[in-house]
Amino acid sequence: MSVLPDPGASRAVLVGTSRYEHLEPLPAVANNLRALADLLSGPLSLQLPARQVTVVEDAAAAHTVVGAVRQAAAEATDTLVLYFAGHGLVDAQDQLVLALPCTEFGRVETGLPYDWVRQVLLLDSRAERHVVILDCCYSGLALGRMSAGAGLAEQAAVEGSFLLAAAAETRTALAPVGDTYTAFTGALLETLRGGIPGGPALLDLGSVYQHLRRTLEARGHPVPQARDRNSGARVALGRNHAGLPAVPVAVSAAEAVGERLWPDPAAIRTVAGFFIALAEVRVVSGLTQLAVSQRSAGRISAGSVGRLLNRTDLPATWKTADAYLSACGVPEGQIVLWQQVWQQLRAAEAARAAVGAQIPAAAAGSASGKGGRQWPLSVFRRRRDQ
């Protein structure tokens, strides 16, 4: 079953090099980064909070990229998305090297070995799932040319992940002159923005990959590669907007339930994820806020619907959320699961608040010292990492 990651527990790191000192520039990469960051933070995709999407453009050194990936890997507990666009090279051991602004062809030590990033995902990541998207050349004989075989996908794959890699055979196929985006990323953006006509309700990576293959092949571009590890293909990058109602519709309660794929409360792990999924319920229902109010038989006003969906803290009671979900047409059995998630999140918040209240008290006691003597803060009492 496909699943949308919880935005509050997921992170994305978008890396790209558009300006090079020794290689051909790729100006479209800068557009890739901006568009993809906006998309991942917006309603058409994962709806990640903007602060959870890190963009590393034209990194001066390899450790800048690795550090950004390591931080995101430490913060994400649901899904970590890693994207790279730029030139790709291979070293003498046929290992992938991501080109940075100072990278020189034939001097792979000036680039970023992909294996450095891969090791962070393998050893340091707390995320349950990884999505790795590579839009780069993999040249063996000449700059801008790569084998269409499975080498790139095989060496870049990470357990518990889905790898999607562009197979750019020429520089033109990678970034057609005059185009806003590179060929591969442009097709990916189109898919997430417009959806897949006749496709599944959720744009899982398996469906996105197959659609990109058909699209890029029809355009005369090299087809992408993919590798799935531990059902990573079921991770969705958004809803299929080609299958959602174009305009709000008024339907009966029975029709509203239908065969629609409602947001799965079991995938919710954070308060942010709770409210984003709650808003998705109305999108799937095809109802306006006013229509939701009308269908609630007076239990919730249109204004209350808006206030509920724009909250950042959990409501103290379940009444309003229950009325909202019921009016949208969510089946009763799923509403029970929603309530359980709400209860679990409230319990977690209460536990964190209790711990937070204990820390100042403990700190005050330790600061006073035995006999009540207070010591001034000095370098000897600072943490070693300060």
Side-chain angles (χ1 to χ4, degrees), residues 117-278:
V117 178
R118 183 171 178 268
Q119 289 301 316
V120 172
L121 301 184
L122 288 171
L123 303 177
D124 300 334
S125 179
R126 298 173 59 215
E128 290 187 8
R129 296 178 287 258
H130 302 94
V131 177
V132 181
I133 303 173
L134 301 177
D135 187 354
C136 60
C137 313
Y138 178 38
S139 55
L141 299 177
L143 178 64
R145 299 198 60 83
M146 62 170 288
S147 168
L152 172 60
E154 288 292 357
Q155 71 168 262
V158 177
E159 288 301 320
S161 73
F162 189 88
L163 170 78
L164 186 58
E169 296 177 353
T170 67
R171 293 192 302 272
T172 301
L174 175 66
V177 176
D179 281 11
T180 303
Y181 309 113
T182 59
F184 172 79
T185 297
L188 175 63
L189 292 169
E190 289 175 11
T191 302
L192 296 180
R193 289 168 175 165
I196 302 174
L202 294 180
L203 292 179
D204 60 80
L205 286 160
S207 300
V208 169
Y209 165 61
Q210 293 298 333
H211 181 71
L212 289 177
R213 282 186 62 89
R214 293 191 296 269
T215 300
L216 291 168
E217 187 173 23
R219 295 175 181 176
H221 294 304
V223 296
Q225 306 169 53
R227 288 297 180 274
D228 179 18
R229 295 289 188 271
N230 298 338
S231 302
R234 297 177 183 176
V235 178
L237 295 180
R239 289 194 169 272
N240 186 0
H241 296 275
L244 291 175
V247 294
V249 294
V251 294
S252 67
E255 290 172 328
V257 175
E259 298 298 327
R260 297 184 183 178
L261 184 60
W262 302 100
D264 182 8
I268 298 173
R269 306 180 186 184
T270 64
V271 174
F274 178 86
F275 285 109
I276 289 175
L278 207 62

Side-chain angles (χ1 to χ4, degrees), residues 35-36 49-50 63 83 99 173 183 198 202-203 224 233 240 245 255 258 278 289 338 385:
L36 194 55
H63 67 78
Y83 168 89
L202 294 180
L203 292 179
N240 186 0
E255 290 172 328
L278 207 62
Q289 293 184 11
W338 275 90
D385 59 346

Side-chain angles (χ1 to χ4, degrees), residues 17-27 86-87 103 143-144 171-172 174-175 177:
T17 306
S18 59
R19 296 179 295 177
Y20 290 93
E21 297 176 13
H22 307 285
L23 305 177
E24 184 176 345
L26 298 171
H87 286 302
T103 299
L143 178 64
R171 293 192 302 272
T172 301
L174 175 66
V177 176

